[in-house]
Amino acid sequence: MISVNLLAIFYLISGVLFILALRGLSSPETSRQGNFFGIIGMSLAIVVTILSVGNFSSGFIYLLIFLVIGGSIGAFIAFKIPMTAMPELVAGFHSLVGLAAVFVAISAFLNPEIFKLGTPGNIKIASIIEMSLGAAIGAITFTGSIIAFLKLRGIMSGSPITFYGQHYLNLFLGLILIGLIYYLCKSQVDTWFWLIIGISLFVGVLLIIPIGGADMPVVISMLNSYSGWAAAGIGFTLENTALIITGALVGSSGAILSYIMCKGMNRSFFNVILGGWGATEQKSSTSDKEQKPVKNGNADDAAFLMKNASSVIIVPGYGMAVAQAQHALREMVDTLKKNGVKVSYAIHPVAGRMPGHMNVLLAEANVPYDEVFELDEINNDFANCDVAYVIGANDVTNPVAKSDPQSPIYGMPVLDVEKSKSVLFVKRSLSPGYAGIDNDLFYRDNTLMLFADAKKMTEEIVKSL
Amino acid sequence: MEIDPFIFRLSIFILAIFIGYYVVWSVTPSLHTPLMSVTNAISSVIIVGAIIAALAGSSEDLFNIANIFGYLAILLAAINIFGGFLVTQRMLAMYKKKKDKK
């Protein structure tokens, strides 16, 4: 048995270790050590909790069994998952945190004595509010993440689902939730509690279905944030410092990532959340589509251009992830480097389906991280570069964002790809990107379109090099 | 009059938000995906609540409904803890510098 005060100190220590875990991520060199701190913090929290309960009867055996089963499933997933599936995996994990928060809230509500919160039907008001908030946010995180998972996995269409009065329905349900929490405080009837969870589950679905595929980076970050706030809510209920600190860390981390992603698209957070951007704009742009001439090239042309270049910048996008072209791309770059070509990579903040998506894929293909640059670091280099190789990216290179105030993406920071001497654009067709607008770049004189699957085209270029 | 312990917890919470704010801004953008997976893993520290829910209470009534929810939450959180930390480890192991390769 450990005294309550000692226990609180241990929780504080694991909270500090979690802060160090995040701190480690400020550079790839310290990141592995940071992750190790996180593991120690977690182990510490688990061990001292078990010791503090001090119940080593048959219940403890079951605890170990569940821990081992869950741990093996988690480890199995972690080793088997391909890096391209990382967005889905993170969304799936978020849903589990959400559901776990709901379960803990339920058991605290049904059996408040073990958490010293009062007796059933007579729980402290503050605890009721905290646990209903924790349960509600947890439930929203759970179903929201499942929808995000289905969309990312392609089981559900990535196009936004909107219907008339959607936002009013959400507002109405939100007000009902507040009302229910109020009544739960007054009367502590079980029904109110179940209703809160039920409605929150529904709200989670409603919140995510109107958001389109390419806005997923924002959604994932937002759900990350929610899972943190849910944990913090439970932390307040259980009066547990480790949970409160962690919840606050994760909550603000997710919020910052959402902010960075929104900024990368020059859209307000609410604009993304309310959804339906691609759906409305698409119609207007396809109607006045005129046939403009494009220059069509093949792998040999591309190989020739790049072999004779002195510097090449590669701009990867979601298409690279879909085609799993990162390994072929690295091979191409290796060959180019042998020919004395200087190669670097330019990553737009919202490239891919989650923050840092492209970086992980390039790292998987053994691309050294000091050849990979962020938008601000590399944007001036396009003017001095001979060839820009755009592979699976589209909207993030569209010069319209700088020139046409009418365009829906006007003001979005874009990579100045058009400034390089020639642009190679690997794409399956001329179809517009997610934003539903034509890319001006396709029709420029210095652009050569390579119509093919990103992986196949890159492999062919490697051959002809 | 003594200060309500809730206020202390609230202070910790607010200060931790600020720490999170500054720490996360210092995370390099290329590590944003590992950041998400590791925050995922650490938010599963909610398992401490699940452990208390599962173990505490009367031992003769091992599987009352509150305990069962506790065990289920342990299962979910354990998937997340192991999965989250291990997948982060796997990702971070891939980030290499130019010099290491040669």
Side-chain angles (χ1 to χ4, degrees):
Chain A
M1 285 295 269
I2 315 180
S3 81
V4 191
N5 288 327
L6 193 58
L7 186 64
I9 299 281
F10 278 124
Y11 283 144
L12 184 63
I13 294 173
S14 58
V16 172
L17 286 168
F18 291 151
I19 295 173
L20 292 175
L22 298 192
R23 176 78 193 123
L25 290 170
S26 58
S27 109
E29 281 119 82
T30 53
S31 60
R32 270 153 280 200
Q33 192 192 20
N35 197 39
F36 185 62
F37 282 138
I39 296 173
I40 297 180
M42 183 63 72
S43 319
L44 181 70
I46 294 176
V47 170
V48 295
T49 308
I50 294 174
L51 289 178
S52 77
V53 180
N55 176 354
F56 293 101
S57 61
S58 48
F60 180 65
I61 309 290
Y62 289 112
L63 180 144
L64 283 183
I65 292 175
F66 279 102
L67 203 59
V68 169
I69 296 177
S72 329
I73 299 175
F76 181 77
I77 298 173
F79 285 117
K80 286 284 165 197
I81 193 94
M83 283 300 147
T84 38
M86 210 43 79
E88 295 101 287
L89 179 76
V90 169
F93 278 167
H94 285 154
S95 74
L96 297 183
V97 179
L99 192 59
V102 174
F103 284 171
V104 174
I106 291 176
S107 60
F109 182 77
L110 295 177
N111 199 354
E113 285 122 325
I114 53 175
F115 295 105
K116 305 182 187 72
L117 304 176
T119 51
N122 192 19
I123 305 171
K124 283 185 283 182
I125 297 294
S127 306
I128 283 281
I129 298 174
E130 290 153 4
M131 74 174 73
S132 8
L133 282 179
I137 303 172
I140 292 174
T141 312
F142 173 58
T143 46
S145 302
I146 286 188
I147 300 293
F149 175 85
L150 294 176
K151 284 193 171 193
L152 288 163
R153 193 86 210 157
I155 299 169
M156 210 173 131
S157 154
S159 53
I161 301 169
T162 46
F163 54 86
Y164 182 73
Q166 192 163 26
H167 306 318
Y168 293 105
L169 179 63
N170 287 343
L171 186 68
F172 176 68
L173 289 174
L175 291 175
I176 287 193
L177 277 179
I178 295 172
L180 281 172
I181 294 176
Y182 175 75
Y183 278 111
L184 186 66
C185 291
K186 276 185 82 175
S187 62
Q188 306 209 356
V189 182
D190 286 19
T191 326
W192 300 139
F193 188 69
W194 299 120
L195 266 178
I196 290 173
I197 293 177
I199 293 179
S200 304
L201 290 172
F202 188 52
V203 170
V205 175
L206 285 178
L207 276 181
I208 307 303
I209 53 169
I211 305 179
D215 285 337
M216 278 302 152
V218 181
V219 172
I220 295 195
S221 324
M222 187 180 85
L223 291 166
N224 186 246
S225 181
Y226 284 0
S227 69
W229 304 131
I234 303 294
F236 274 105
T237 319
L238 308 185
E239 310 184 344
N240 184 311
T241 333
L243 254 176
I244 295 177
I245 295 178
T246 315
L249 288 178
V250 178
S252 55
S253 159
I256 290 173
L257 288 178
S258 319
Y259 170 79
I260 295 175
M261 293 302 115
C262 288
K263 214 166 153 249
M265 296 191 288
N266 190 37
R267 297 173 63 193
S268 76
F269 186 66
F270 287 103
N271 185 307
V272 177
I273 298 308
L274 298 179
W277 180 38
T280 47
E281 298 299 338
Q282 210 145 15
K283 286 166 207 140
S284 58
S285 63
T286 40
S287 56
D288 61 336
K289 204 175 188 181
E290 45 191 299
Q291 279 314 109
K292 283 183 263 182
V294 292
K295 275 204 266 178
N296 200 341
N298 61 27
D300 293 329
D301 303 334
F304 178 78
L305 264 175
M306 283 197 275
K307 211 175 356 184
N308 293 306
S310 64
S311 65
V312 172
I313 297 182
I314 294 176
V315 181
Y318 181 57
M320 182 189 82
V322 175
Q324 307 233 16
Q326 67 270 29
H327 297 282
L329 185 66
R330 216 278 326 277
E331 232 179 289
M332 183 185 95
V333 171
D334 283 350
T335 325
L336 285 176
K337 275 197 214 152
K338 261 181 230 151
N339 287 315
V341 184
K342 185 177 165 278
V343 187
S344 37
Y345 299 80
I347 313 254
H348 191 274
V350 292
R353 286 292 185 264
M354 75 183 291
H357 192 185
M358 292 299 120
N359 302 81
V360 171
L361 293 182
L362 291 178
E364 189 201 7
N366 273 323
V367 172
Y369 63 81
D370 38 8
E371 284 176 14
V372 183
F373 298 95
E374 303 300 319
L375 174 81
D376 302 337
E377 296 171 323
I378 200 166
N379 225 2
N380 291 330
D381 296 356
F382 280 108
N384 305 318
C385 126
D386 294 315
V387 180
Y389 186 71
V390 182
I391 173 166
N394 185 357
D395 290 336
V396 297
T397 62
N398 198 339
V400 159
K402 288 176 287 189
S403 55
D404 180 11
Q406 302 297 315
S407 164
I409 61 167
Y410 180 70
M412 168 171 145
V414 288
L415 292 157
D416 297 333
V417 174
E418 80 280 1
K419 286 190 185 153
S420 55
K421 287 199 190 83
S422 46
V423 179
L424 296 169
F425 219 109
V426 187
K427 209 171 175 304
R428 267 175 299 194
S429 69
L430 265 185
S431 64
Y434 170 71
I437 39 173
D438 232 6
N439 194 338
D440 210 22
L441 210 53
F442 298 165
Y443 314 107
R444 300 255 171 143
D445 283 341
N446 60 346
T447 306
L448 193 63
M449 296 299 294
L450 307 166
F451 291 113
D453 173 77
K455 190 177 177 186
K456 257 190 218 131
M457 176 53 72
T458 310
E459 279 167 352
E460 276 170 39
I461 295 176
V462 174
K463 263 183 231 149
S464 49
L465 276 170
Chain B
M1 207 182 114
E2 266 189 72
I3 300 174
D4 192 310
F6 172 78
I7 303 298
F8 282 115
R9 284 190 284 276
L10 188 67
S11 320
I12 294 172
F13 180 63
I14 303 287
L15 291 175
I17 291 179
F18 276 93
I19 294 175
Y21 180 85
Y22 289 109
V23 169
V24 171
W25 271 117
S26 76
V27 171
T28 161
S30 66
L31 291 175
H32 275 163
T33 299
L35 172 68
M36 302 206 86
S37 60
V38 85
T39 49
N40 215 319
I42 64 173
S43 57
S44 305
V45 74
I46 201 155
I47 197 170
V48 300
I51 293 173
I52 299 172
L55 286 188
S58 50
S59 49
E60 66 265 23
D61 185 16
L62 198 58
F63 281 109
N64 74 43
I65 186 93
N67 289 29
I68 289 175
F69 276 113
Y71 285 120
L72 287 178
I74 290 177
L75 182 74
L76 298 176
I79 296 178
N80 238 321
I81 292 171
F82 282 78
F85 279 123
L86 288 174
V87 89
T88 310
Q89 193 77 18
R90 211 181 121 200
M91 271 191 273
L92 293 177
M94 298 184 317
Y95 281 82
K96 289 186 196 86
K97 240 186 159 158
K98 214 181 303 181
K99 279 142 208 150
D100 296 1
K101 256 174 62 187
K102 284 173 188 169

